[in-house]
């Protein structure tokens, strides 16, 4: 569980950093984060609602960059 949580946190940090820098590969990083986060929720390392909430918030931030 600790390794799973760690990979999710690392992916989240990379995504937030890319959003702040307005990087071009933000959508790819969002897809990777979504995958890792939902897998962690399926394993029980994270709660499903927590994962969904974070994905929704980060997706909103990514979509606001494209506008």
């Amino acid at each position: 569980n600790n390794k799973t949580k760690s990979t999710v946190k690392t992916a989240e940090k990379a995504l937030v950093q890319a959003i702040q820098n307005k990087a071009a590969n933000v959508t790819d990083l969002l897809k990777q984060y979504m995958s890792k986060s939902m897998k962690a929720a399926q394993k029980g390392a994270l709660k499903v609602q927590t994962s969904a909430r974070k994905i929704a918030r980060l997706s909103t931030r990514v979509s606001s960059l494209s506008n």
Side-chain angles (χ1 to χ4, degrees):
N1 281 352
N2 285 336
K3 184 177 180 184
T4 305
K5 288 181 194 177
S6 177
T7 57
V8 171
K9 286 179 186 178
T10 303
E12 184 177 4
K13 288 176 189 175
L15 177 58
V16 170
Q17 187 71 29
I19 290 171
Q20 289 174 349
N21 294 335
K22 298 182 180 177
N25 63 340
V26 177
T27 54
D28 294 334
L29 289 173
L30 177 62
K31 287 179 186 177
Q32 289 176 4
Y33 173 73
M34 288 172 65
S35 173
K36 290 178 182 179
S37 181
M38 291 310 285
K39 283 181 184 176
Q42 286 177 340
K43 290 180 181 179
L46 293 175
K47 290 186 177 179
V48 175
Q49 189 57 41
T50 302
S51 180
R53 184 181 64 245
K54 288 186 176 187
I55 288 172
R57 289 177 180 170
L58 289 169
S59 297
T60 304
R61 289 178 66 182
V62 169
S63 65
S64 69
L65 282 179
S66 62
N67 291 341

